[in-house]
Amino acid sequence: MDNRQAIGSWLSGPRAAAEDMGVDFGYRGERLGLPKDGPGSIAPLGRRIGALCIDWALCMLIAYAFLADGSAQRAGNWALLVFLVLSLLTVGTVGFTPGKRLLGLRVVGEGGGRLSLPRVALRSVLLVIVIPAVVWDRDSRGLHDKLARAVQVRI
C-alpha cells in the first residue's frame, strides 16, 4: 500500500477502510428487517433534514404570529415549545409531522407498528434537546429514534 491509499482510507473513515478489507455491513435497515429501498425502507438523510426544516419553519411561523408579539428572538424560543407539541400530536396520532408527510416519510416502531404515547414523548423531548438527534448508528437512526425504538421510513 502506498501513502496515497493510506491517506485515502484515513480520510474515508473506518467504515470505508473495513469495507476495503472485506467486511460486509449490509444495507441500512437490514438489521431491522426493512427492505433495501422503496416503501418501508429507511428514510434518506436528505429527506429527513428537509422535513425538519419544513416543520421548523411552520413552528417559527406559528410562534411569531401567535405567541411572540412580533419579537423574532421570542419567536425562536416559543418555536421549541410549538415544535414539541407538534411532534407529540402528529407523530403520536398519525405517525408523521407535516414536513414528513410532504416528503413521504413516516415514524414507526421497530416492529412496524405505531409508537405508543410514552415512546413518542421520549422521542420528541430528545429531538428538542438536539444532541441525541445528531448521534447516529450504522442504520442512520438518531439516538432519539434508537432510544424510543422508532424508525423513520419511506411511505
Side-chain angles (χ1 to χ4, degrees), residues 12-106:
S12 303
R15 181 179 179 131
E19 287 174 344
D20 288 343
M21 290 188 297
V23 176
D24 181 25
F25 288 105
Y27 61 87
R28 292 178 312 126
E30 183 175 19
R31 295 182 309 153
L32 301 169
L34 300 174
K36 186 173 184 175
D37 51 15
S41 64
I42 295 278
L45 183 61
R47 282 193 195 181
R48 290 170 30 201
I49 291 173
L52 180 64
C53 290
I54 292 168
D55 292 335
W56 184 252
L58 178 63
C59 292
M60 283 292 290
L61 182 67
I62 292 169
Y64 188 79
F66 298 111
L67 302 169
D69 296 327
S71 169
Q73 183 177 359
R74 289 175 62 194
N77 294 335
W78 279 108
L80 277 173
L81 180 63
V82 173
F83 185 80
L84 178 65
V85 171
L86 176 79
S87 181
L88 284 169
L89 293 177
T90 58
V91 174
T93 56
V94 292
F96 46 77
T97 61
K100 288 187 189 326
R101 181 64 184 124
L102 285 173
L103 296 180
L105 306 177
R106 181 182 208 103

